[in-house]
Amino acid sequence: MTEDTYHKSRIANRRLHPETLMMGYGYSPAMSEGSLKPPVFLTSTFVFENAQQGKDFFDLTAGRRELKPGEKSGLVYSRFNHPNMEILEDRLAIWDEAERCAVFASGMAAIATTCFAFLRPGDTIIHSRPLYGGTETLLKNQMGAFGIKAFGFTDGLDIASMRVTANAAAAAGRVGMILVETPANPTNGLVDLAACKLIADELERTQGYRPPVVVDNTLLGPKYQKPLKHGADLTLLSLTKYVGGHSDLVGGSISGSAALVKQVKSWRGSLGTQLDPNSCWMLMRSLETLDIRMHRANENAQRVAEYLANHPKIARLHYLGNLSSDDPRKTVFERQCEAAGSTFAFDVKGGEKEAFALLDNLQIMKLAVSLGGTETLVSHPAAMTHSGVARELREEIGLTDALIRISVGIENIEDLIADLAQALEAV
Ligand SMILES: *Cc1c(COP(=O)(O)O)cnc(C)c1O
């Protein structure tokens, strides 16, 4: 395909960076009255020039035929596609270093639609543990109702134990998909993506179907981790978190090869899990500052982690930025992640009482679930996001009653440390 001017990603031989491309890629002012910024296209449907064009656009949108050389497809109806969704997907695909991207009404909508695309009754799914609470419920309860069984592994660094889980899953049914979260929330456990790829390759040989390796990359986001480079087939984001970044919208995305994303998009069209024009527009605005927001949050988090590591009332830190050289996560961290990010957890000395005392005395940091916003949020996973996780599994993964999760924002770092200092005094 010839590159149109608004999909320009190079100057001569120079490949432009995402930070640069976020300001204009995929949008043509000439198509919208010269407007510098894309309008919000509030329309449910699109007018065809003639009946033949309507027929062609429907055939192409439904995937009944491929584009002919020089042919362009067009928009049909906003459940399938709309201009704001198209521009947003083009820009996110750049961050994810993917051929294609599809966006959804939420992170859970992206995960659920992907499950519908690749899982069939009687299938099994292999997943890492712990999972985001919503994903856990979807796999265990909702997908379970369709006869799909979930098999979890806890040590994502040990391929032998991952294989034990994979074999158990394969014995119970066709493995339809491998879904992993790395780093895991809230303890920052890592999953070796090269090992996941190996297991998918082995399953392809034994069962004649390749289960896609799907990575939930919400915690580090597309700036600090590119799962497709390390063995994943699809990378998934809750856009609600770092990409949206202002705690003011809900959205999700999945990126990968055109062939795989097409399968998921087909289900999105049937289920109606697409993202609305207004949220797409807000996300385009957010993408313009993704790089600087994540950079600042990452720097702030490093300072907060250093402060906590040296504080006498802190028992333990689950932070990827200061792994000791004998930590088993170190090699995988250095291979897969470009930074430690700004969401991590720590244990105060004591238990729930001491953790609650710290949380209740903070004056700047807000007590709320979610992460990745401009403001610093703190929460108590055992009593909140992970209260549904069995105590046994919580203990296995180190999710104690003294554990606090923090998502460090972009405030002034001295103010943040002063807030922690005064709250810790009250513990
Ligand atoms: C928030 C989150 C989700 C779900 O995303 P929503 O946008 O809330 O639907 C999935 N995975 C992880 C790791 C998350 O943090």
Side-chain angles (χ1 to χ4, degrees), residues 128-132 136 153 181 184-187 386 393 397 399:
S128 60
R129 290 194 306 188
L131 286 172
Y132 176 75
E136 177 91 18
F153 60 83
E181 263 176 52
N185 171 20
T187 51
H386 294 67
L393 177 59
I397 60 175
L399 204 165

Side-chain angles (χ1 to χ4, degrees), residues 105-111 131-135 181 183-185 216-219 236-241 249-252 370-371 405:
S106 68
M108 284 315 303
I111 296 170
L131 286 172
Y132 176 75
T135 312
E181 263 176 52
N185 171 20
D216 184 332
N217 189 33
T218 300
L219 242 70
L236 197 150
L237 292 165
S238 165
L239 301 174
T240 313
K241 314 296 166 59
L249 59 85
V250 180
S370 198
L371 55 99
R405 185 183 78 183

Side-chain angles (χ1 to χ4, degrees), residues 47-297:
V47 179
F48 307 128
E49 284 173 11
N50 51 53
Q52 183 60 43
Q53 188 187 54
K55 181 181 175 183
D56 289 339
F57 287 2
F58 259 89
D59 281 344
L60 290 162
T61 301
R64 282 188 289 264
R65 68 172 179 83
E66 295 299 317
L67 280 172
K68 292 178 202 145
E71 186 184 15
K72 281 205 162 175
S73 189
L75 301 169
V76 165
Y77 184 67
S78 288
R79 175 154 42 77
F80 303 125
N81 206 352
H82 54 76
N84 296 104
M85 194 151 78
E86 224 169 38
I87 305 166
L88 176 63
E89 288 172 346
D90 283 352
R91 291 187 190 175
L92 276 168
I94 286 176
W95 269 112
D96 283 331
E97 295 185 13
E99 201 179 355
R100 285 281 194 290
C101 171
V103 295
F104 299 85
S106 68
M108 284 315 303
I111 296 170
T113 307
T114 305
C115 284
F116 277 110
F118 298 112
L119 298 174
R120 297 291 170 267
D123 274 3
T124 61
I125 175 168
I126 300 171
H127 65 88
S128 60
R129 290 194 306 188
L131 286 172
Y132 176 75
T135 312
E136 177 91 18
T137 305
L138 175 75
L139 296 190
K140 297 286 153 63
N141 306 346
Q142 269 87 325
M143 287 292 145
F146 291 92
I148 292 156
K149 290 195 208 70
F151 289 78
F153 60 83
T154 313
D155 188 350
L157 300 173
D158 178 22
I159 191 163
S161 83
M162 289 160 78
R163 270 204 190 99
V164 170
T165 304
N167 290 339
R174 184 190 80 148
V175 179
M177 188 167 131
I178 300 175
L179 175 65
V180 302
E181 263 176 52
T182 183
N185 171 20
T187 51
N188 273 340
L190 294 182
V191 178
D192 183 345
L193 297 181
C196 293
K197 181 182 186 312
L198 257 168
I199 287 171
D201 291 343
E202 287 164 12
L203 285 165
E204 184 175 10
R205 282 196 292 277
T206 51
Q207 64 178 21
Y209 163 81
R210 182 188 178 75
V213 176
V214 183
V215 175
D216 184 332
N217 189 33
T218 300
L219 242 70
L220 284 182
K223 177 166 168 61
Y224 291 134
Q225 185 168 255
K226 314 257 186 212
L228 300 177
K229 285 211 295 212
H230 301 285
D233 297 296
L234 288 164
T235 177
L236 197 150
L237 292 165
S238 165
L239 301 174
T240 313
K241 314 296 166 59
Y242 286 100
V243 175
H246 296 70
S247 309
D248 56 5
L249 59 85
V250 180
S253 70
I254 192 148
S255 295
S257 70
L260 288 178
V261 172
K262 185 179 169 186
Q263 288 184 58
V264 185
K265 270 193 180 170
S266 151
W267 274 88
R268 182 183 71 182
S270 299
L271 295 169
T273 47
Q274 82 290 345
L275 188 58
D276 67 284
N278 202 65
S279 300
C280 287
W281 188 94
M282 301 261 286
L283 281 157
M284 284 190 259
R285 163 172 282 206
S286 290
L287 280 176
E288 297 187 9
T289 55
L290 178 73
D291 185 73
I292 55 172
R293 280 186 288 107
M294 289 199 76
H295 181 77
R296 167 71 170 249

